[in-house]
Amino acid sequence: MTTARGRRILVSQCVQEVSTFNPVPSGADDFDVRLGDAFTAAQRGRETEVAGALDVLEDAPGVTVVPGFGAWAFSSDGTLSGHGFRTLADGFLGAVRANRDVDGIYCCMHGSMVAADETDPEGSLLEATRAIVGEDLPIVVSLDLHGVLTGRMLRHADAFVAYLTYPHVDLRETGRRAARLLLRILDDGVRPVTARVTIPALVRGDELVTDTGLFGRFTRRAAELETVAGGLAAGMLISNPFTDVPELLTSAFVTTDADPDRATTEALALATGFWEVHEQMRQPLVPLAEAIALARATVGGTVIFTDAADATSSGASGDSNAILRALAEDGYRGMVLAPIVDAPAVEAAIAVGVGGPVRTTIGGRLDRARFTPMPFEGRVHRLSEGRFASEADGLTWSSGPTAVLKGETVTVVATSRPVMLYDRSLFLAHGQDPQAFDAVVVKSPHCEPRFFRDWAARMINVDAPGSTSANLRSLGHVRCPRPIFPLDDDVPFTPRVELYSRARYGVLPLPAEMPV
Ligand SMILES: [Zn+2]
């Protein structure tokens, strides 16, 4: 027991979710990078994993938080450049080197990063961290349930915790769970052993909504496993289907206190249960023309076009104008609101000022393989610096210089940089209440019901092109293991358990016998 003496815990973060199908590469500039106290101060009290970890650690007697390196990308990211990853890794590992005398490390990651020369950036960071701090220092990592959990990650950390909700409303609680587990390793002497079973399936769709869909069955079971005696962590990581890497698979994992048999049994049960229903976890999509006909037939209230194919939070470029173009071609006369990433359109708006006439194009400047610029004529309604608080997590988001452009029926919130679009922050911060429109383009696969579903007349999942389309076969995966559902037909599943535990816990046979 070490409760009596002080413990110093390094808290660091490296979070990005990449779509390898987004042709626009990302770089270090796409991250909000903060060091030391500036990092923790920006997180404290927010609805984030790091805030949750601080809740627990700063409250624990004798614990001192050592603020490390924080890097968080606003997503909408294509593959990270090699230089960008090296810059981040230097910062992340620099904080580890400067604090190698700590007693434990909590690390907040997403799990779906990809760099030009590294398909497993998180595994690379954890391996390098382990090399610096040695074999015995406890490292606990939190992940998004869309993370890709690799063997390398499992080999170099002591344990993982993952979100248990989708849409994600438990970020802060996930951070608390990770911090509590780290303290249990340090104070109570628990010895984590993790069983992991990979499942050849990439899933999407409404059944993933944990409150109402089939997937919730598995996250609730994972939550139970984590709280019963001997349970330390459990989760279902469905990965980000747009992060095409060699270990892109769904993972069921269960971590127990020195009980590999129990971890094995429960991980197998999660995985085989998931496999039984995985075919139901697909997103039915409505062809564009049909979606517009549905919108026309909707009288009173707002129609939400859910455009998950251009979801900035999943890694898409955010410059799709596919739905606006289809509405224009159809002659739709309702009032439409849409977000779009288009820095030159914003510059054109700034050049003429608020109230000025603007004649430009919108969208189609980034993902040129899928979209083309669309002519737009209207007035500049509003200009801003694009800094606003997110209604989802309270953090300050930055869309860069931003313009509200109003055409005859179409209102576009044009941003210089992508921001998350799973809540209404961008619209509301720019004076645009989605409820005042007949149709709104929402570039996110799912949002918390309070943002749109609770009041919308109709939600339509549109089959539009995009680098994060739920129509997974449209994307062209080349790296992930095959066969895999739904990219291939008749995919076999033979469950196989991998066990991981740090050698110092003495739970498993020597590392030489562990899976590599
Ligand atoms: Zn996620």
Side-chain angles (χ1 to χ4, degrees), residues 9 112 126 171 174 213 222 245 323 379 398 414 416 444 446 471 478 481:
I9 308 290
S112 287
L126 292 174
L171 279 66
T174 301
V245 290
I323 293 176
R379 291 201 170 269
S398 177
S416 300
S444 172
H446 294 97
N471 182 354
V478 291

Side-chain angles (χ1 to χ4, degrees), residues 309-464:
D310 197 33
T312 50
S313 55
S314 306
S317 50
D319 69 324
S320 168
N321 49 22
I323 293 176
L324 290 179
R325 188 183 292 278
L327 286 165
E329 284 169 2
D330 182 84
Y332 179 80
R333 298 298 300 163
M335 303 302 284
V336 180
L337 174 65
I340 210 146
V341 181
D342 193 331
V346 176
E347 281 166 27
I350 291 170
V352 298
V354 172
V358 65
R359 199 171 183 171
T360 181
T361 63
I362 47 167
R365 294 190 209 253
L366 300 172
D367 192 343
R368 287 166 178 266
R370 295 185 177 89
F371 315 116
T372 51
M374 176 183 168
F376 182 88
E377 223 173 304
R379 291 201 170 269
V380 180
H381 179 74
R382 190 166 177 155
L383 294 170
S384 88
E385 284 306 307
R387 286 183 68 79
F388 50 90
S390 150
E391 67 173 329
D393 60 25
L395 291 175
T396 299
W397 289 358
S398 177
S399 55
T402 295
V404 179
L405 308 176
K406 283 199 180 272
E408 201 181 336
T409 58
V410 172
T411 298
V412 171
V413 183
T415 64
S416 300
R417 298 169 62 103
V419 282
M420 301 293 190
L421 298 167
Y422 52 65
D423 66 14
R424 298 166 296 187
S425 309
L426 177 69
F427 294 143
L428 296 178
H430 292 90
Q432 305 307 309
D433 179 356
Q435 280 190 259
F437 290 82
D438 299 304
V440 179
V441 176
V442 174
K443 295 179 173 183
S444 172
H446 294 97
C447 305
E448 284 180 57
R450 65 192 168 110
F451 298 141
F452 298 101
R453 186 174 291 281
D454 285 351
W455 53 264
R458 186 172 240 158
M459 309 272 292
I460 307 172
N461 287 297
V462 182
D463 191 4

Side-chain angles (χ1 to χ4, degrees), residues 220-281:
R220 281 189 291 279
R221 179 62 185 147
E224 269 173 35
L225 291 169
E226 198 165 302
T227 46
V228 296
L232 299 181
M236 287 292 308
L237 292 171
I238 55 177
S239 80
N240 181 22
F242 317 111
T243 310
D244 187 20
V245 290
E247 290 185 66
L248 177 62
L249 290 158
T250 290
S251 283
F253 75 92
V254 176
T255 305
T256 61
D257 180 10
D259 189 344
D261 293 342
R262 172 97 183 277
T264 295
T265 308
E266 298 295 357
L268 277 171
L270 277 177
T272 51
F274 185 90
W275 183 254
E276 276 168 26
V277 297
H278 75 281
E279 288 188 5
Q280 295 173 60
M281 292 189 242

Side-chain angles (χ1 to χ4, degrees), residues 38-58:
F39 161 50
T40 45
Q43 293 282 334
R44 195 172 287 112
R46 306 297 186 190
E47 292 306 313
T48 65
E49 300 95 305
V50 172
L54 295 176
D55 290 342
V56 169
L57 298 173
E58 291 180 340

